[in-house]
Each structure stands twice: as C-alpha cells, then as structure tokens.
PDB file of all heavy atoms in Angstrom:
ATOM      1  N   VAL A   1      88.977 107.880 111.438  1.00  0.00           N
ATOM      2  CA  VAL A   1      88.862 106.881 112.510  1.00  0.00           C
ATOM      3  C   VAL A   1      89.402 107.409 113.831  1.00  0.00           C
ATOM      4  O   VAL A   1      88.919 107.054 114.899  1.00  0.00           O
ATOM      5  CB  VAL A   1      89.596 105.584 112.093  1.00  0.00           C
ATOM      6  CG1 VAL A   1      89.691 104.607 113.254  1.00  0.00           C
ATOM      7  CG2 VAL A   1      88.881 104.938 110.914  1.00  0.00           C
ATOM      8  N   LYS A   2      90.424 108.267 113.757  1.00  0.00           N
ATOM      9  CA  LYS A   2      91.109 108.788 114.953  1.00  0.00           C
ATOM     10  C   LYS A   2      91.557 107.643 115.875  1.00  0.00           C
ATOM     11  O   LYS A   2      91.124 107.544 117.035  1.00  0.00           O
ATOM     12  CB  LYS A   2      90.213 109.769 115.710  1.00  0.00           C
ATOM     13  CG  LYS A   2      89.916 111.031 114.928  1.00  0.00           C
ATOM     14  CD  LYS A   2      89.043 111.974 115.730  1.00  0.00           C
ATOM     15  CE  LYS A   2      88.898 113.322 115.032  1.00  0.00           C
ATOM     16  NZ  LYS A   2      88.382 113.228 113.651  1.00  0.00           N
ATOM     17  N   PRO A   3      92.405 106.767 115.367  1.00  0.00           N
ATOM     18  CA  PRO A   3      92.856 105.624 116.180  1.00  0.00           C
ATOM     19  C   PRO A   3      93.629 106.077 117.411  1.00  0.00           C
ATOM     20  O   PRO A   3      94.272 107.123 117.408  1.00  0.00           O
ATOM     21  CB  PRO A   3      93.759 104.848 115.216  1.00  0.00           C
ATOM     22  CG  PRO A   3      94.213 105.852 114.210  1.00  0.00           C
ATOM     23  CD  PRO A   3      93.088 106.818 114.054  1.00  0.00           C
ATOM     24  N   LYS A   4      93.551 105.273 118.444  1.00  0.00           N
ATOM     25  CA  LYS A   4      94.286 105.559 119.686  1.00  0.00           C
ATOM     26  C   LYS A   4      95.489 104.622 119.862  1.00  0.00           C
ATOM     27  O   LYS A   4      96.521 105.022 120.352  1.00  0.00           O
ATOM     28  CB  LYS A   4      93.359 105.434 120.891  1.00  0.00           C
ATOM     29  CG  LYS A   4      92.195 106.422 120.887  1.00  0.00           C
ATOM     30  CD  LYS A   4      92.679 107.847 121.016  1.00  0.00           C
ATOM     31  CE  LYS A   4      91.531 108.824 121.195  1.00  0.00           C
ATOM     32  NZ  LYS A   4      90.619 108.888 120.039  1.00  0.00           N
ATOM     33  N   ILE A   5      95.314 103.362 119.451  1.00  0.00           N
ATOM     34  CA  ILE A   5      96.384 102.363 119.579  1.00  0.00           C
ATOM     35  C   ILE A   5      96.429 101.537 118.298  1.00  0.00           C
ATOM     36  O   ILE A   5      95.389 101.143 117.768  1.00  0.00           O
ATOM     37  CB  ILE A   5      96.151 101.414 120.773  1.00  0.00           C
ATOM     38  CG1 ILE A   5      96.032 102.191 122.084  1.00  0.00           C
ATOM     39  CG2 ILE A   5      97.285 100.397 120.893  1.00  0.00           C
ATOM     40  CD1 ILE A   5      95.680 101.333 123.278  1.00  0.00           C
ATOM     41  N   ILE A   6      97.639 101.278 117.810  1.00  0.00           N
ATOM     42  CA  ILE A   6      97.812 100.454 116.617  1.00  0.00           C
ATOM     43  C   ILE A   6      98.781  99.316 116.926  1.00  0.00           C
ATOM     44  O   ILE A   6      99.909  99.555 117.337  1.00  0.00           O
ATOM     45  CB  ILE A   6      98.350 101.283 115.435  1.00  0.00           C
ATOM     46  CG1 ILE A   6      97.345 102.389 115.063  1.00  0.00           C
ATOM     47  CG2 ILE A   6      98.634 100.400 114.227  1.00  0.00           C
ATOM     48  CD1 ILE A   6      97.834 103.314 113.971  1.00  0.00           C
ATOM     49  N   PHE A   7      98.319  98.087 116.729  1.00  0.00           N
ATOM     50  CA  PHE A   7      99.168  96.903 116.860  1.00  0.00           C
ATOM     51  C   PHE A   7      99.728  96.569 115.476  1.00  0.00           C
ATOM     52  O   PHE A   7      98.962  96.410 114.526  1.00  0.00           O
ATOM     53  CB  PHE A   7      98.374  95.715 117.414  1.00  0.00           C
ATOM     54  CG  PHE A   7      98.084  95.816 118.885  1.00  0.00           C
ATOM     55  CD1 PHE A   7      97.072  96.638 119.357  1.00  0.00           C
ATOM     56  CD2 PHE A   7      98.839  95.089 119.801  1.00  0.00           C
ATOM     57  CE1 PHE A   7      96.803  96.735 120.722  1.00  0.00           C
ATOM     58  CE2 PHE A   7      98.586  95.189 121.168  1.00  0.00           C
ATOM     59  CZ  PHE A   7      97.569  96.011 121.627  1.00  0.00           C
ATOM     60  N   ILE A   8     101.048  96.456 115.380  1.00  0.00           N
ATOM     61  CA  ILE A   8     101.684  96.402 114.072  1.00  0.00           C
ATOM     62  C   ILE A   8     103.048  95.718 114.144  1.00  0.00           C
ATOM     63  O   ILE A   8     103.702  95.727 115.196  1.00  0.00           O
ATOM     64  CB  ILE A   8     101.836  97.848 113.529  1.00  0.00           C
ATOM     65  CG1 ILE A   8     102.311  97.885 112.072  1.00  0.00           C
ATOM     66  CG2 ILE A   8     102.782  98.657 114.415  1.00  0.00           C
ATOM     67  CD1 ILE A   8     102.268  99.282 111.459  1.00  0.00           C
ATOM     68  N   GLU A   9     103.461  95.117 113.025  1.00  0.00           N
ATOM     69  CA  GLU A   9     104.837  94.651 112.865  1.00  0.00           C
ATOM     70  C   GLU A   9     105.456  95.489 111.744  1.00  0.00           C
ATOM     71  O   GLU A   9     105.240  95.208 110.562  1.00  0.00           O
ATOM     72  CB  GLU A   9     104.885  93.160 112.495  1.00  0.00           C
ATOM     73  CG  GLU A   9     106.312  92.658 112.370  1.00  0.00           C
ATOM     74  CD  GLU A   9     106.415  91.306 111.666  1.00  0.00           C
ATOM     75  OE1 GLU A   9     105.490  90.928 110.928  1.00  0.00           O
ATOM     76  OE2 GLU A   9     107.444  90.640 111.860  1.00  0.00           O
ATOM     77  N   PRO A  10     106.236  96.514 112.071  1.00  0.00           N
ATOM     78  CA  PRO A  10     106.733  97.437 111.040  1.00  0.00           C
ATOM     79  C   PRO A  10     107.819  96.808 110.164  1.00  0.00           C
ATOM     80  O   PRO A  10     108.949  96.638 110.599  1.00  0.00           O
ATOM     81  CB  PRO A  10     107.290  98.610 111.850  1.00  0.00           C
ATOM     82  CG  PRO A  10     106.756  98.453 113.238  1.00  0.00           C
ATOM     83  CD  PRO A  10     106.605  96.976 113.421  1.00  0.00           C
ATOM     84  N   THR A  11     107.447  96.459 108.938  1.00  0.00           N
ATOM     85  CA  THR A  11     108.383  95.847 107.994  1.00  0.00           C
ATOM     86  C   THR A  11     108.246  96.471 106.606  1.00  0.00           C
ATOM     87  O   THR A  11     109.211  96.963 106.048  1.00  0.00           O
ATOM     88  CB  THR A  11     108.142  94.330 107.889  1.00  0.00           C
ATOM     89  OG1 THR A  11     108.298  93.736 109.178  1.00  0.00           O
ATOM     90  CG2 THR A  11     109.131  93.685 106.921  1.00  0.00           C
ATOM     91  N   TRP A  12     107.031  96.424 106.064  1.00  0.00           N
ATOM     92  CA  TRP A  12     106.795  96.861 104.697  1.00  0.00           C
ATOM     93  C   TRP A  12     106.528  98.370 104.636  1.00  0.00           C
ATOM     94  O   TRP A  12     106.303  99.020 105.661  1.00  0.00           O
ATOM     95  CB  TRP A  12     105.613  96.100 104.100  1.00  0.00           C
ATOM     96  CG  TRP A  12     105.802  94.620 104.161  1.00  0.00           C
ATOM     97  CD1 TRP A  12     105.294  93.766 105.105  1.00  0.00           C
ATOM     98  CD2 TRP A  12     106.587  93.809 103.276  1.00  0.00           C
ATOM     99  NE1 TRP A  12     105.702  92.483 104.854  1.00  0.00           N
ATOM    100  CE2 TRP A  12     106.489  92.471 103.734  1.00  0.00           C
ATOM    101  CE3 TRP A  12     107.342  94.077 102.136  1.00  0.00           C
ATOM    102  CZ2 TRP A  12     107.129  91.423 103.101  1.00  0.00           C
ATOM    103  CZ3 TRP A  12     107.977  93.024 101.486  1.00  0.00           C
ATOM    104  CH2 TRP A  12     107.863  91.722 101.972  1.00  0.00           C
ATOM    105  N   THR A  13     106.488  98.906 103.422  1.00  0.00           N
ATOM    106  CA  THR A  13     106.304 100.354 103.228  1.00  0.00           C
ATOM    107  C   THR A  13     105.043 100.868 103.909  1.00  0.00           C
ATOM    108  O   THR A  13     105.083 101.881 104.609  1.00  0.00           O
ATOM    109  CB  THR A  13     106.258 100.677 101.718  1.00  0.00           C
ATOM    110  OG1 THR A  13     107.549 100.412 101.144  1.00  0.00           O
ATOM    111  CG2 THR A  13     105.903 102.128 101.477  1.00  0.00           C
ATOM    112  N   HIS A  14     103.927 100.185 103.707  1.00  0.00           N
ATOM    113  CA  HIS A  14     102.673 100.690 104.290  1.00  0.00           C
ATOM    114  C   HIS A  14     102.749 100.702 105.823  1.00  0.00           C
ATOM    115  O   HIS A  14     102.194 101.597 106.467  1.00  0.00           O
ATOM    116  CB  HIS A  14     101.475  99.862 103.818  1.00  0.00           C
ATOM    117  CG  HIS A  14     101.423  98.459 104.347  1.00  0.00           C
ATOM    118  ND1 HIS A  14     102.197  97.442 103.840  1.00  0.00           N
ATOM    119  CD2 HIS A  14     100.700  97.912 105.358  1.00  0.00           C
ATOM    120  CE1 HIS A  14     101.943  96.326 104.497  1.00  0.00           C
ATOM    121  NE2 HIS A  14     101.043  96.580 105.431  1.00  0.00           N
ATOM    122  N   GLU A  15     103.473  99.740 106.406  1.00  0.00           N
ATOM    123  CA  GLU A  15     103.598  99.690 107.862  1.00  0.00           C
ATOM    124  C   GLU A  15     104.494 100.808 108.387  1.00  0.00           C
ATOM    125  O   GLU A  15     104.210 101.411 109.435  1.00  0.00           O
ATOM    126  CB  GLU A  15     104.129  98.319 108.280  1.00  0.00           C
ATOM    127  CG  GLU A  15     103.147  97.198 107.982  1.00  0.00           C
ATOM    128  CD  GLU A  15     103.785  95.824 107.962  1.00  0.00           C
ATOM    129  OE1 GLU A  15     105.015  95.723 107.782  1.00  0.00           O
ATOM    130  OE2 GLU A  15     103.039  94.828 108.103  1.00  0.00           O
ATOM    131  N   LEU A  16     105.574 101.086 107.678  1.00  0.00           N
ATOM    132  CA  LEU A  16     106.453 102.180 108.088  1.00  0.00           C
ATOM    133  C   LEU A  16     105.747 103.519 107.959  1.00  0.00           C
ATOM    134  O   LEU A  16     105.914 104.415 108.807  1.00  0.00           O
ATOM    135  CB  LEU A  16     107.734 102.158 107.256  1.00  0.00           C
ATOM    136  CG  LEU A  16     108.604 100.916 107.439  1.00  0.00           C
ATOM    137  CD1 LEU A  16     109.750 100.903 106.438  1.00  0.00           C
ATOM    138  CD2 LEU A  16     109.138 100.831 108.854  1.00  0.00           C
ATOM    139  N   LEU A  17     104.939 103.668 106.922  1.00  0.00           N
ATOM    140  CA  LEU A  17     104.165 104.910 106.769  1.00  0.00           C
ATOM    141  C   LEU A  17     103.130 105.051 107.881  1.00  0.00           C
ATOM    142  O   LEU A  17     102.895 106.157 108.376  1.00  0.00           O
ATOM    143  CB  LEU A  17     103.479 104.932 105.401  1.00  0.00           C
ATOM    144  CG  LEU A  17     104.399 105.096 104.185  1.00  0.00           C
ATOM    145  CD1 LEU A  17     103.597 104.998 102.895  1.00  0.00           C
ATOM    146  CD2 LEU A  17     105.166 106.413 104.237  1.00  0.00           C
ATOM    147  N   ILE A  18     102.528 103.934 108.277  1.00  0.00           N
ATOM    148  CA  ILE A  18     101.569 103.975 109.392  1.00  0.00           C
ATOM    149  C   ILE A  18     102.252 104.481 110.654  1.00  0.00           C
ATOM    150  O   ILE A  18     101.700 105.281 111.413  1.00  0.00           O
ATOM    151  CB  ILE A  18     100.940 102.586 109.611  1.00  0.00           C
ATOM    152  CG1 ILE A  18      99.979 102.264 108.462  1.00  0.00           C
ATOM    153  CG2 ILE A  18     100.213 102.510 110.953  1.00  0.00           C
ATOM    154  CD1 ILE A  18      99.534 100.817 108.407  1.00  0.00           C
ATOM    155  N   CYS A  19     103.486 104.033 110.888  1.00  0.00           N
ATOM    156  CA  CYS A  19     104.236 104.506 112.056  1.00  0.00           C
ATOM    157  C   CYS A  19     104.499 106.003 111.980  1.00  0.00           C
ATOM    158  O   CYS A  19     104.458 106.714 113.000  1.00  0.00           O
ATOM    159  CB  CYS A  19     105.560 103.744 112.177  1.00  0.00           C
ATOM    160  SG  CYS A  19     105.376 102.017 112.670  1.00  0.00           S
ATOM    161  N   LYS A  20     104.775 106.506 110.791  1.00  0.00           N
ATOM    162  CA  LYS A  20     105.012 107.948 110.619  1.00  0.00           C
ATOM    163  C   LYS A  20     103.732 108.741 110.865  1.00  0.00           C
ATOM    164  O   LYS A  20     103.760 109.791 111.520  1.00  0.00           O
ATOM    165  CB  LYS A  20     105.547 108.234 109.210  1.00  0.00           C
ATOM    166  CG  LYS A  20     106.866 107.558 108.880  1.00  0.00           C
ATOM    167  CD  LYS A  20     107.970 107.953 109.835  1.00  0.00           C
ATOM    168  CE  LYS A  20     109.285 107.262 109.471  1.00  0.00           C
ATOM    169  NZ  LYS A  20     110.354 107.532 110.462  1.00  0.00           N
ATOM    170  N   PHE A  21     102.589 108.253 110.356  1.00  0.00           N
ATOM    171  CA  PHE A  21     101.316 108.923 110.612  1.00  0.00           C
ATOM    172  C   PHE A  21     100.964 108.856 112.101  1.00  0.00           C
ATOM    173  O   PHE A  21     100.436 109.825 112.661  1.00  0.00           O
ATOM    174  CB  PHE A  21     100.203 108.272 109.789  1.00  0.00           C
ATOM    175  CG  PHE A  21     100.087 108.802 108.391  1.00  0.00           C
ATOM    176  CD1 PHE A  21     100.481 108.037 107.313  1.00  0.00           C
ATOM    177  CD2 PHE A  21      99.588 110.077 108.149  1.00  0.00           C
ATOM    178  CE1 PHE A  21     100.377 108.517 106.006  1.00  0.00           C
ATOM    179  CE2 PHE A  21      99.474 110.578 106.855  1.00  0.00           C
ATOM    180  CZ  PHE A  21      99.868 109.796 105.774  1.00  0.00           C
ATOM    181  N   ALA A  22     101.248 107.730 112.728  1.00  0.00           N
ATOM    182  CA  ALA A  22     100.955 107.586 114.160  1.00  0.00           C
ATOM    183  C   ALA A  22     101.723 108.618 114.977  1.00  0.00           C
ATOM    184  O   ALA A  22     101.181 109.225 115.911  1.00  0.00           O
ATOM    185  CB  ALA A  22     101.300 106.167 114.615  1.00  0.00           C
ATOM    186  N   LYS A  23     102.970 108.823 114.626  1.00  0.00           N
ATOM    187  CA  LYS A  23     103.768 109.831 115.324  1.00  0.00           C
ATOM    188  C   LYS A  23     103.187 111.230 115.102  1.00  0.00           C
ATOM    189  O   LYS A  23     103.110 112.028 116.038  1.00  0.00           O
ATOM    190  CB  LYS A  23     105.216 109.778 114.828  1.00  0.00           C
ATOM    191  CG  LYS A  23     106.155 110.747 115.547  1.00  0.00           C
ATOM    192  CD  LYS A  23     107.584 110.597 115.030  1.00  0.00           C
ATOM    193  CE  LYS A  23     108.517 111.577 115.739  1.00  0.00           C
ATOM    194  NZ  LYS A  23     109.908 111.475 115.239  1.00  0.00           N
ATOM    195  N   LYS A  24     102.778 111.499 113.868  1.00  0.00           N
ATOM    196  CA  LYS A  24     102.229 112.813 113.536  1.00  0.00           C
ATOM    197  C   LYS A  24     100.929 113.082 114.293  1.00  0.00           C
ATOM    198  O   LYS A  24     100.702 114.184 114.798  1.00  0.00           O
ATOM    199  CB  LYS A  24     101.968 112.896 112.026  1.00  0.00           C
ATOM    200  CG  LYS A  24     101.426 114.238 111.546  1.00  0.00           C
ATOM    201  CD  LYS A  24     102.478 115.317 111.656  1.00  0.00           C
ATOM    202  CE  LYS A  24     101.963 116.649 111.129  1.00  0.00           C
ATOM    203  NZ  LYS A  24     102.999 117.701 111.212  1.00  0.00           N
ATOM    204  N   TYR A  25     100.084 112.069 114.400  1.00  0.00           N
ATOM    205  CA  TYR A  25      98.767 112.244 115.024  1.00  0.00           C
ATOM    206  C   TYR A  25      98.730 111.774 116.481  1.00  0.00           C
ATOM    207  O   TYR A  25      97.651 111.622 117.055  1.00  0.00           O
ATOM    208  CB  TYR A  25      97.712 111.498 114.205  1.00  0.00           C
ATOM    209  CG  TYR A  25      97.415 112.129 112.867  1.00  0.00           C
ATOM    210  CD1 TYR A  25      97.640 111.439 111.681  1.00  0.00           C
ATOM    211  CD2 TYR A  25      96.921 113.430 112.785  1.00  0.00           C
ATOM    212  CE1 TYR A  25      97.369 112.020 110.442  1.00  0.00           C
ATOM    213  CE2 TYR A  25      96.642 114.024 111.553  1.00  0.00           C
ATOM    214  CZ  TYR A  25      96.870 113.315 110.391  1.00  0.00           C
ATOM    215  OH  TYR A  25      96.589 113.899 109.166  1.00  0.00           O
ATOM    216  N   ASN A  26      99.908 111.541 117.053  1.00  0.00           N
ATOM    217  CA  ASN A  26     100.012 111.179 118.469  1.00  0.00           C
ATOM    218  C   ASN A  26      99.224 109.906 118.806  1.00  0.00           C
ATOM    219  O   ASN A  26      98.449 109.854 119.758  1.00  0.00           O
ATOM    220  CB  ASN A  26      99.547 112.343 119.369  1.00  0.00           C
ATOM    221  CG  ASN A  26      99.960 112.155 120.813  1.00  0.00           C
ATOM    222  OD1 ASN A  26     100.969 111.513 121.107  1.00  0.00           O
ATOM    223  ND2 ASN A  26      99.175 112.702 121.722  1.00  0.00           N
ATOM    224  N   VAL A  27      99.427 108.885 118.005  1.00  0.00           N
ATOM    225  CA  VAL A  27      98.779 107.589 118.208  1.00  0.00           C
ATOM    226  C   VAL A  27      99.821 106.606 118.739  1.00  0.00           C
ATOM    227  O   VAL A  27     100.954 106.576 118.267  1.00  0.00           O
ATOM    228  CB  VAL A  27      98.197 107.063 116.879  1.00  0.00           C
ATOM    229  CG1 VAL A  27      97.560 105.689 117.068  1.00  0.00           C
ATOM    230  CG2 VAL A  27      97.192 108.053 116.307  1.00  0.00           C
ATOM    231  N   SER A  28      99.442 105.802 119.710  1.00  0.00           N
ATOM    232  CA  SER A  28     100.368 104.849 120.316  1.00  0.00           C
ATOM    233  C   SER A  28     100.556 103.632 119.416  1.00  0.00           C
ATOM    234  O   SER A  28      99.589 103.026 118.961  1.00  0.00           O
ATOM    235  CB  SER A  28      99.863 104.389 121.682  1.00  0.00           C
ATOM    236  OG  SER A  28      99.806 105.474 122.583  1.00  0.00           O
ATOM    237  N   ILE A  29     101.816 103.287 119.170  1.00  0.00           N
ATOM    238  CA  ILE A  29     102.169 102.092 118.400  1.00  0.00           C
ATOM    239  C   ILE A  29     102.544 100.972 119.365  1.00  0.00           C
ATOM    240  O   ILE A  29     103.251 101.194 120.349  1.00  0.00           O
ATOM    241  CB  ILE A  29     103.357 102.386 117.466  1.00  0.00           C
ATOM    242  CG1 ILE A  29     102.921 103.253 116.290  1.00  0.00           C
ATOM    243  CG2 ILE A  29     104.016 101.098 116.970  1.00  0.00           C
ATOM    244  CD1 ILE A  29     102.040 102.556 115.277  1.00  0.00           C
ATOM    245  N   VAL A  30     102.074  99.769 119.093  1.00  0.00           N
ATOM    246  CA  VAL A  30     102.482  98.577 119.836  1.00  0.00           C
ATOM    247  C   VAL A  30     103.040  97.602 118.811  1.00  0.00           C
ATOM    248  O   VAL A  30     102.316  97.110 117.945  1.00  0.00           O
ATOM    249  CB  VAL A  30     101.308  97.925 120.589  1.00  0.00           C
ATOM    250  CG1 VAL A  30     101.793  96.693 121.353  1.00  0.00           C
ATOM    251  CG2 VAL A  30     100.658  98.928 121.535  1.00  0.00           C
ATOM    252  N   ALA A  31     104.345  97.331 118.894  1.00  0.00           N
ATOM    253  CA  ALA A  31     105.016  96.438 117.945  1.00  0.00           C
ATOM    254  C   ALA A  31     105.584  95.236 118.703  1.00  0.00           C
ATOM    255  O   ALA A  31     106.712  95.286 119.209  1.00  0.00           O
ATOM    256  CB  ALA A  31     106.127  97.183 117.208  1.00  0.00           C
ATOM    257  N   PRO A  32     104.812  94.154 118.816  1.00  0.00           N
ATOM    258  CA  PRO A  32     105.287  92.976 119.556  1.00  0.00           C
ATOM    259  C   PRO A  32     106.407  92.252 118.805  1.00  0.00           C
ATOM    260  O   PRO A  32     106.294  91.988 117.610  1.00  0.00           O
ATOM    261  CB  PRO A  32     104.040  92.087 119.652  1.00  0.00           C
ATOM    262  CG  PRO A  32     102.880  92.976 119.298  1.00  0.00           C
ATOM    263  CD  PRO A  32     103.433  93.977 118.340  1.00  0.00           C
ATOM    264  N   VAL A  33     107.479  91.928 119.516  1.00  0.00           N
ATOM    265  CA  VAL A  33     108.620  91.207 118.942  1.00  0.00           C
ATOM    266  C   VAL A  33     109.003  90.081 119.888  1.00  0.00           C
ATOM    267  O   VAL A  33     109.124  90.297 121.100  1.00  0.00           O
ATOM    268  CB  VAL A  33     109.823  92.151 118.720  1.00  0.00           C
ATOM    269  CG1 VAL A  33     111.043  91.368 118.247  1.00  0.00           C
ATOM    270  CG2 VAL A  33     109.477  93.256 117.728  1.00  0.00           C
ATOM    271  N   LYS A  34     109.195  88.884 119.329  1.00  0.00           N
ATOM    272  CA  LYS A  34     109.573  87.738 120.159  1.00  0.00           C
ATOM    273  C   LYS A  34     110.792  88.067 121.007  1.00  0.00           C
ATOM    274  O   LYS A  34     111.741  88.677 120.527  1.00  0.00           O
ATOM    275  CB  LYS A  34     109.880  86.521 119.285  1.00  0.00           C
ATOM    276  CG  LYS A  34     108.659  85.838 118.713  1.00  0.00           C
ATOM    277  CD  LYS A  34     109.037  84.693 117.780  1.00  0.00           C
ATOM    278  CE  LYS A  34     109.607  83.532 118.550  1.00  0.00           C
ATOM    279  NZ  LYS A  34     108.575  82.833 119.342  1.00  0.00           N
ATOM    280  N   ASP A  35     110.753  87.641 122.260  1.00  0.00           N
ATOM    281  CA  ASP A  35     111.899  87.840 123.148  1.00  0.00           C
ATOM    282  C   ASP A  35     113.137  87.168 122.553  1.00  0.00           C
ATOM    283  O   ASP A  35     113.051  86.090 121.958  1.00  0.00           O
ATOM    284  CB  ASP A  35     111.590  87.242 124.516  1.00  0.00           C
ATOM    285  CG  ASP A  35     112.676  87.532 125.538  1.00  0.00           C
ATOM    286  OD1 ASP A  35     112.598  88.547 126.214  1.00  0.00           O
ATOM    287  OD2 ASP A  35     113.630  86.717 125.625  1.00  0.00           O
TER     288      ASP A  35
END
C-alpha cells in the first residue's frame, strides 16, 4: 500500500506494531488525543 499517513490510537499490540512499522518505513503517524 505504501501508506503516507496513518490515523491511529496506539493502545493494543497491533497498533503499537503499526507505529513501529511506520517509523521504519517513514510514514507519518497522527494520534489524536482529547485535550
């Protein structure tokens, strides 16, 4: 897919792994958190 931006709430194992892959493949993570 070669994603460019990923919107995510990093909590579970699959989400944390996605963040690690994003860092490896230089993909931007957007993690919205309530103010």
Side-chain angles (χ1 to χ4, degrees):
V1 171
K2 295 181 172 56
K4 298 295 188 296
I5 303 175
I6 298 176
F7 285 78
I8 188 172
E9 182 195 22
T11 301
W12 304 98
T13 293
H14 69 282
E15 294 162 339
L16 296 172
L17 291 176
I18 289 167
C19 289
K20 299 301 180 185
F21 275 108
K23 183 178 179 181
K24 182 69 178 181
Y25 289 119
N26 194 28
V27 178
S28 296
I29 287 289
V30 180
V33 175
K34 284 176 71 71
D35 186 90

